[in-house]
Amino acid sequence: MNIETEVLNSIESFEDIYSKGYDKKYPSIELVRIASNIKLPKNSNILDFGCGPGSNGMHFLNNFNNVHFADISLNAINLVKSKINNNLKKKSEYTLIDPTISKLPYKSNYFDLIICMSVYNNFVNREHALQNLREFNRIVKKNSYLILDFNLRDKNNYTNITSNKNDVKKTLPNKSTDKQISMYFPKTNKSVENDLRENNFKIIDIGYSHWKVFDSFEHESIITAKKI
Ligand SMILES: C[S@@+](CC[C@H](N)C(=O)[O-])C[C@H]1O[C@@H](n2cnc3c(N)ncnc32)[C@H](O)[C@@H]1O
């Protein structure tokens, strides 16, 4: 299947998850820690790519004026809009990502920071990840930041895996549908580092997050990179 068809499957699955009320009310603690280490001007343009419930982007609305939220799920976009309209009353913009277009609908050299949290594994294969990295490189300003996190192929907590071919796993993340989605799991941090370097990013930091509570656990890599 091609990228577009695979992304359409992901959209269906995520639309269903959000329509059933999935929400997340707090930002990633690792992202909050990283953000406190990087200096950004108050009028920065920040993109929360694959925003989902928007809690990460909303964290930046506390200190910055222009936060853009983008997702393939209309339900996710509407959820973020309702939360911001109801509570924060800050300036924010919203983009529904069109899976039929490989370019992102933003001007070149526009963003001071792109955050891509818990989305990298949702790219449907490495080619799709590279397509997005190329676009991140185009739309972020020189010397500006990209923060992304991901689970590695052999270190993840995904239980509903139906097939496992190289670095792509077919999963059933959403128990209420039988729609399988494709997820890209890089084998090593090095492979993501190399893909970032090839797309003109310098690696500033490679962090790691591990926690376990009851049946849940996480082993995640989190990379902060800068466009050179
Ligand atoms: C696991 S959720 C993470 C949401 C949010 N970033 C967070 O950390 O809470 C993944 C999100 O990525 C979105 N997504 C998946 N594939 C995408 C793509 N190709 N482009 C943009 N968003 C995508 C999904 O709709 C979903 O909202």
Side-chain angles (χ1 to χ4, degrees):
M1 265 198 252
N2 62 16
I3 291 176
E4 185 185 323
T5 314
E6 296 288 359
V7 178
L8 287 169
N9 284 341
S10 301
I11 292 177
E12 208 175 303
S13 181
F14 278 109
E15 289 298 31
D16 190 64
I17 288 170
Y18 293 116
S19 76
K20 293 196 163 66
Y22 175 78
D23 196 359
K24 196 173 138 194
K25 297 197 166 51
Y26 45 87
S28 149
I29 186 69
E30 291 77 27
L31 178 67
V32 172
R33 288 183 178 129
I34 293 170
S36 69
N37 275 281
I38 59 179
K39 297 255 173 301
L40 291 171
K42 181 98 182 145
N43 61 352
S44 291
N45 287 316
I46 295 169
L47 174 63
D48 184 353
F49 187 81
C51 60
S55 43
N56 292 317
M58 285 166 74
H59 170 69
F60 289 89
L61 276 175
N62 295 324
N63 293 313
F64 299 98
N65 299 328
N66 309 308
V67 179
H68 296 244
F69 295 88
D71 205 284
I72 51 170
S73 159
L74 181 61
N75 287 335
I77 294 286
N78 286 338
L79 173 62
V80 184
K81 272 186 187 167
S82 70
K83 289 201 270 190
I84 290 175
N85 291 342
N86 291 341
N87 303 317
L88 289 168
K89 309 245 185 269
K90 290 271 185 117
K91 184 171 173 231
S92 49
E93 294 189 29
Y94 306 88
T95 308
L96 183 64
I97 299 294
D98 180 347
T100 64
I101 298 172
S102 56
K103 285 212 156 229
L104 296 175
Y106 302 107
K107 289 189 277 189
S108 299
N109 305 310
Y110 183 70
F111 290 105
D112 299 273
L113 170 66
I114 300 174
I115 58 172
C116 180
M117 301 298 294
S118 305
V119 182
Y120 207 74
N121 293 124
N122 283 114
F123 294 143
V124 299
N125 55 30
R126 178 163 174 255
E127 192 191 333
H128 189 212
L130 287 171
Q131 180 182 300
N132 281 286
L133 288 185
R134 272 195 294 278
E135 280 298 277
F136 292 163
N137 169 59
R138 182 182 66 75
I139 64 179
V140 77
K141 291 176 190 165
K142 193 173 174 200
N143 289 322
S144 293
Y145 297 93
L146 167 65
I147 303 170
L148 55 84
D149 64 355
F150 52 91
N151 294 272
L152 292 176
R153 191 169 85 186
D154 302 321
K155 259 191 182 177
N156 63 78
N157 58 3
Y158 286 79
T159 48
N160 298 315
I161 293 167
T162 55
S163 84
N164 203 343
K165 219 171 162 198
N166 299 323
D167 47 13
V168 174
K169 294 180 196 290
K170 295 268 184 195
T171 70
L172 272 171
N174 180 359
K175 293 191 183 85
S176 71
T177 73
D178 57 3
K179 186 64 77 181
Q180 291 186 62
I181 67 167
S182 287
M183 296 181 71
Y184 166 54
F185 286 89
K187 187 164 181 238
T188 58
N189 282 343
K190 276 270 169 284
S191 62
V192 181
E193 289 171 49
N194 288 340
D195 288 345
L196 281 162
R197 286 195 189 99
E198 276 178 27
N199 280 286
N200 213 27
F201 284 101
K202 179 181 168 193
I203 312 296
I204 303 296
D205 182 62
I206 304 165
Y208 175 66
S209 149
H210 168 57
W211 54 262
K212 180 232 163 257
V213 285
F214 299 97
D215 294 338
S216 307
F217 68 89
E218 193 81 80
H219 288 274
E220 251 177 356
S221 304
I222 177 161
I223 295 188
T224 307
K226 203 176 201 180
K227 177 171 162 181
I228 48 178

